[in-house]
DNA sequence: AATTTTAATTGATTTAGATCAATAGCATTT
DNA sequence: AAATGCTATTGATCTAAATCAATTAAAATT
C-alpha cells in the first residue's frame, strides 16, 4: 500500500524506520473507481492525494461546458487543488479518476502535523513543490511559444506514459487544443513519416 | 537594505533576533541599473534573487527573435531560473532589470546552509513555493481558457502595479499576445466605457 | 451478438489573433 | 529645437486553429 509513497520520499530525503512508521499513521487509504471524483468544483479540497496506483485528472468547466484539463497525475505523483486545500476556499477544479485508482490521502492538519514532527517530510514537500514549479514554468513557456504540433510532440516525448493511457480528446484539452485540431496534427505527423 | 526581505519573511514565519542577524550574513547585496541583466540565457543561474527595490523580468527568445516574458517580479518578490539554479544546468531564460533595482542574492549553497541552520527559513521557502505554484496554475488555466481581452482585464485587476509600471508591449508578451492585438483590445475596452 | 454510447476522423467554413506596413506620439540625446 | 530611437496606434491582409456538421470507428452495456 505504501510502496510508491516511500519510493517517492526516499528519492528525495532520508527517513528513519520510526519516522516511516509514524508517517503511515497520518495517511488515509482510499480507492476510487474510474469516473469517481476526489473533489467536486465548488467544494473545499480537504485532501492532498498521493497516487499509489491509477491515474487522475483535475479540470475546470467553462460557461460553454467545455472542460479544460489542468493536470494529469499517475502513480508516484501527488494531486490536489492546492489553493483550496491551503486556504479552505471553494475549489475551481474537479479531480476525477480516469482508471480505478488507489490513493493515500493527507488532510491539511495531518500534513502540517507531519511536517512539524518530521522535518525531513517538510523538506520532501518543498522539493516536490520545486519540481512542480519548474514543470509549470515550462508549461507556461510552451503555451506562449509553441505551435499546436510542437506542443503535442513535446508532451508525447516528455510523458509518453500519459499520452498512451489517456483518451486523445483529453490530451487535446490539456494542450489547449480542440479534439479536431489534435486529430489533424497527428495525421500530419504520420504523413511525414 | 533588508526591510522588504524581513517583511516578507515575517508575513510567513517567525524568526528570532539572532536568526535574523545570521540570515543577513548569507545574502549578497547587488544593484542593477535599468537594462542590466542578472542572468544571460545559456549561463548557469547561480543566484536566487530577492528584490528590495525595482522590477525585473525573465524571458526567452525564440528563433524569430521574439521575446516571451515568463515572469515579472517587483519589490518583495523573488526571481530566479529555478531549474538552472537547482540543477546547475544552462539557463533558458534571461533575467533583466526594467528599472534601477536593488537585490539580495542567495547562492545555492547559501540557500541550503540557511535552510539547514534555520528550519523556519526552509518553511518560508516552502510557503513561497506554494504561492508560486498556485499562481502558475492560475496562469496556465488562464492561457487555456481566456480570450485576449479577458487575459488583459484579469491581469490588470490582479497586478495593477505591474501593468502601470511596464511598457505595454511587454504586458502583451507576458500574456502571449502581439503588441498590436493588445493595443486593439485596450481600445475596445475604452470604447465601451 | 446487437445496441447504445463515446471517441476519432474528415470536410467546409469561420474567426480571433498574427503579420505586414505605415504613421503618429513620446522621450532622450545631441 | 532638431534629430534619433523607442512605443503605441491604426489599417489591410493572412493564417492557424476553432467551429459546425457529418461519418466512421471503437468501447461499453444490455
Amino acid at each position: 500500500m505504501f510502496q510508491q509513497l516511500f519510493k517517492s520520499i526516499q528519492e528525495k530525503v532520508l527517513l528513519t524506520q520510526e519516522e516511516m512508521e509514524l508517517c503511515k499513521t497520518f495517511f488515509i487509504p482510499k480507492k476510487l473507481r474510474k469516473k469517481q471524483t476526489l473533489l467536486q468544483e465548488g467544494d473545499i479540497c480537504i485532501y492532498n492525494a498521493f497516487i499509489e496506483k491509477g491515474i487522475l485528472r483535475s479540470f475546470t468547466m467553462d460557461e460553454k461546458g467545455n472542460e479544460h484539463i489542468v493536470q494529469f497525475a499517475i502513480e508516484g505523483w501527488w494531486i490536489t487543488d492546492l489553493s483550496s486545500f491551503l486556504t479552505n476556499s471553494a475549489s475551481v477544479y474537479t479531480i476525477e479518476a480516469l482508471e480505478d485508482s488507489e490513493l493515500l490521502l493527507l488532510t491539511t492538519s495531518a500534513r502540517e502535523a507531519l511536517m512539524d514532527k518530521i522535518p525531513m517530510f517538510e523538506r520532501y514537500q518543498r522539493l516536490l513543490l520545486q519540481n512542480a514549479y519548474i514543470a509549470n514554468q515550462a508549461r507556461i513557456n510552451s503555451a506562449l511559444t509553441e505551435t499546436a504540433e510542437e506542443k503535442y510532440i513535446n508532451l508525447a516525448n516528455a510523458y509518453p506514459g500519459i499520452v498512451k493511457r489517456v483518451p486523445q480528446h483529453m490530451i487535446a484539452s490539456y494542450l489547449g487544443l480542440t479534439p479536431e485540431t489534435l486529430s489533424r496534427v497527428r495525421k500530419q505527423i504520420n504523413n511525414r513519416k
Side-chain angles (χ1 to χ4, degrees), chain A residues 8-16 19-20 23 111 113-128:
Chain A
S8 168
I9 292 176
Q10 280 167 352
E11 279 169 11
K12 300 210 152 39
V13 297
L14 206 73
L15 296 194
T16 64
E19 284 173 332
M20 281 165 69
C23 201
R111 178 170 177 266
L114 253 180
M115 292 194 293
D116 279 332
K117 292 198 175 144
I118 309 175
M120 279 302 134
F121 189 82
E122 176 153 23
R123 176 155 298 179
Y124 166 65
Q125 290 283 310
R126 175 178 61 78
L127 294 169
L128 286 176

Side-chain angles (χ1 to χ4, degrees), chain A residues 98-174:
Chain A
L98 298 177
E99 299 173 0
D100 295 352
S101 301
E102 291 173 28
L103 310 178
L104 294 169
L105 305 180
L106 212 47
T107 63
T108 320
S109 56
R111 178 170 177 266
E112 277 168 12
L114 253 180
M115 292 194 293
D116 279 332
K117 292 198 175 144
I118 309 175
M120 279 302 134
F121 189 82
E122 176 153 23
R123 176 155 298 179
Y124 166 65
Q125 290 283 310
R126 175 178 61 78
L127 294 169
L128 286 176
L129 278 165
Q130 286 181 358
N131 290 341
Y133 178 88
I134 290 168
N136 279 342
Q137 284 277 106
R139 191 163 169 214
I140 288 169
N141 194 35
S142 152
L144 291 181
T145 61
E146 294 170 3
T147 62
E149 182 173 324
E150 288 166 340
K151 286 177 196 170
Y152 176 71
I153 289 174
N154 291 340
L155 182 72
N157 287 336
Y159 302 104
I162 290 175
V163 172
K164 278 179 206 136
R165 233 164 129 179
V166 163
Q168 194 173 302
H169 69 277
M170 289 192 185
I171 300 296
S173 166
Y174 180 85

Side-chain angles (χ1 to χ4, degrees), chain A residues 87-100:
Chain A
T87 67
N88 276 312
S89 54
S91 171
V92 293
Y93 305 113
T94 296
I95 299 178
E96 180 198 67
L98 298 177
E99 299 173 0
D100 295 352

Side-chain angles (χ1 to χ4, degrees), chain A residues 43-68:
Chain A
D43 291 352
I44 292 170
C45 182
I46 59 170
Y47 297 119
N48 202 348
F50 179 84
I51 304 170
E52 276 288 325
K53 182 167 168 298
I55 180 165
L56 288 81
R57 63 167 180 154
S58 75
F59 64 95
T60 55
M61 192 94 103
D62 66 23
E63 325 77 55
K64 290 180 196 154
N66 296 317
E67 292 175 356
H68 300 274

